[in-house]
């Protein structure tokens, strides 16, 4: 798929286009930098939507990630944006800022936060990484926000307790792990590209997640984080499930998006669930039913999406 290098400041986001039909709406979808976990998801999400309806055309573009996607959505420079659960919670609830006039359009995938280390590393616990150089992700990435919350839950500070490294591209971390400039890489989610690359490398990968006591402390202090499990076999050489904590990443849109547009997006995604799972591993959790699971509160889901879920008899799970 052809992609712009990065979204330009003057770019129009929601505009009519001649593609498919005279009144088709084009929505630019903010993803992440090259090598980021949101990029392959966006490249799968767009054709899955575009192949099933002609009301909307979704076009993915590179951005700096969640912390850029959210303000760009608010400014109208994006029509859709991918965002991690922590950044979404902060924006929609106004816990650290004014509440954003944004709504959840679709679930992406659950992101269980954890560290990856080369296979022969002596690191077995998170505390073993204290004082060591660790790549936490790209500036603006939702994974960096997640790391702050999870580490704070066990009494650690990202900047003060680690030699925190932020890189413009997540894939640069592999070279730093290979030559010893970094001891670990923070990440999350199913099929996250940097974890997959490390697991397939000559060193292989081991994963270090919060233990049971740490997980209990984290969810006790940060209630919007959830216990999550990465199934065995998700990554090469990972023979046991990984139990951690984390959140759900989501597709966000503006709250003033026309209801018919949000409805069309929800319907197309539901009809294309099998294609999402085929196109990208992280798309296996991108189901209409998981919209309820991913949303911190039902009212955060766009009314057009809720209307589709009701008509499709996809009900919220009983909690």
């Amino acid at each position: 798929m052809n992609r712009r290098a990065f979204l330009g400041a003057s770019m129009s986001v929601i505009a009519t286009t001649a593609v498919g039909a005279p009144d088709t709406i084009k929505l630019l979808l903010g993803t992440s930098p090259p090598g980021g976990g949101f990029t392959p998801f966006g490249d799968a999400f767009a054709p899955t939507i575009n192949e099933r309806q002609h009301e909307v055309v979704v076009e993915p573009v590179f951005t700096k990630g969640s912390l850029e996607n959210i303000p760009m959505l608010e400014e109208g420079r994006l029509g859709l944006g991918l965002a991690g659960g922590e950044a979404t919670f902060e924006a929609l609830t106004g816990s650290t800022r004014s509440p954003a006039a944004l709504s959840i359009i679709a679930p992406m995938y659950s992101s269980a936060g954890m560290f990856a280390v080369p296979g022969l590393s002596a690191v077995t616990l998170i505390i073993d990484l204290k004082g060591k150089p660790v790549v936490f992700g790209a500036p603006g990435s939702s994974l960096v926000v997640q790391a702050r919350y999870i580490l704070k839950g066990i009494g650690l500070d990202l900047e003060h307790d680690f030699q925190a490294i932020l890189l413009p591209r997540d894939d640069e971390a592999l070279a730093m792990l290979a030559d010893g400039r970094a001891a670990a890489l923070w990440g999350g989610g199913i099929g996250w590209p940097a974890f997959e690359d490390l697991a397939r490398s000559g060193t292989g990968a081991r994963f270090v997640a919060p233990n049971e006591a740490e997980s209990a402390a984290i969810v006790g202090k940060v209630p919007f984080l959830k216990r999550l499990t990465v199934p065995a076999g998700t990554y090469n050489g990972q023979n046991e499930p990984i139990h951690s904590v984390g959140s759900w990443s989501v597709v966000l849109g503006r709250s003033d998006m026309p209801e018919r547009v949000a409805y069309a997006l929800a319907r197309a995604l539901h009809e294309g669930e099998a294609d999402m799972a085929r196109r990208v591993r992280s798309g296996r959790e991108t189901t209409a039913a998981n919209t309820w699971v991913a949303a911190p509160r039902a009212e955060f889901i766009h009314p057009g999406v809720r209307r589709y879920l009701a008509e499709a008899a996809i009900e919220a799970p009983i909690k």
Side-chain angles (χ1 to χ4, degrees):
M1 176 176 295
N2 293 326
R3 300 174 60 95
R4 295 176 176 88
F6 272 93
L7 185 60
S10 62
M11 188 175 295
S12 176
V13 178
I14 305 178
T16 59
T17 174
V19 177
D23 297 323
T24 297
I25 295 173
K26 181 168 74 175
L27 300 177
L28 295 186
L29 169 67
T31 59
S32 63
F38 285 175
T39 296
F41 182 93
D43 285 342
F45 180 86
T48 299
I49 296 296
N50 297 341
E51 290 168 1
R52 286 169 172 81
Q53 48 75 52
H54 301 291
E55 192 165 2
V56 182
V57 171
V58 176
E59 179 182 335
V61 292
F62 292 127
T63 66
K64 295 179 181 178
S66 295
L67 299 188
E68 183 173 61
N69 292 341
I70 288 172
M72 291 177 75
L73 276 168
E74 292 181 279
E75 295 163 8
R77 293 170 56 205
L78 288 174
L80 295 168
L82 307 184
E86 292 75 19
T88 296
F89 181 85
E90 292 177 348
L92 298 187
T93 62
S95 62
T96 60
R97 44 154 291 164
S98 299
L102 303 176
S103 296
I104 294 171
I105 303 299
M108 290 176 60
Y109 49 79
S110 58
S111 293
M114 54 193 178
F115 295 95
V117 299
L120 296 178
S121 170
V123 171
T124 58
L125 300 171
I126 292 177
I127 198 65
D128 295 337
L129 291 168
K130 188 173 182 179
K132 291 183 168 59
V134 175
V135 178
F136 281 99
S141 166
S142 60
L143 287 171
V144 178
V145 180
Q146 182 188 73
R148 293 184 196 279
Y149 275 110
I150 289 178
L151 292 173
K152 184 178 180 181
I154 54 176
L156 295 173
D157 181 87
L158 187 149
E159 279 85 10
H160 294 100
D161 291 317
F162 304 87
Q163 297 178 44
I165 302 169
L166 300 180
L167 295 173
R169 293 176 59 119
D170 292 332
D171 50 2
E172 295 176 10
L174 300 180
M176 300 188 73
L177 288 169
D179 63 21
R181 285 176 292 157
L185 166 66
W186 174 265
I190 305 298
W192 192 56
F195 279 179
E196 288 195 324
D197 290 343
L198 181 62
R200 290 194 300 260
S201 71
T203 67
R206 287 193 302 100
F207 297 95
V208 180
N211 59 31
E212 173 57 32
E214 291 170 336
S215 294
I218 293 165
V219 298
K221 293 179 182 177
V222 191
F224 66 84
L225 291 176
K226 304 174 183 179
R227 291 178 181 266
L228 298 171
T229 298
V230 178
T234 298
Y235 295 103
N236 188 52
Q238 178 217 335
N239 299 320
E240 299 291 335
I242 302 168
H243 302 290
S244 187
V245 296
S247 63
W248 276 77
S249 297
V250 297
V251 182
L252 291 175
R254 291 171 57 90
S255 295
D256 60 4
M257 175 185 288
E259 187 171 316
R260 63 180 177 82
V261 174
Y263 179 97
L265 292 170
R267 182 184 61 203
L269 188 60
H270 185 202
E271 293 172 354
E273 287 176 4
D275 274 355
M276 277 299 299
R278 175 182 57 81
R279 282 181 161 126
V280 63
R281 294 187 69 186
S282 57
R284 297 174 184 178
E285 294 184 300
T286 310
T287 67
N290 277 338
T291 310
W292 298 113
V293 178
R297 300 174 190 167
E299 60 265 30
F300 292 159
I301 302 172
H302 194 285
V305 176
R306 294 203 304 269
R307 178 164 70 87
Y308 175 77
L309 295 174
E311 290 182 9
I314 301 170
E315 300 178 353
I318 298 174
K319 298 182 179 180

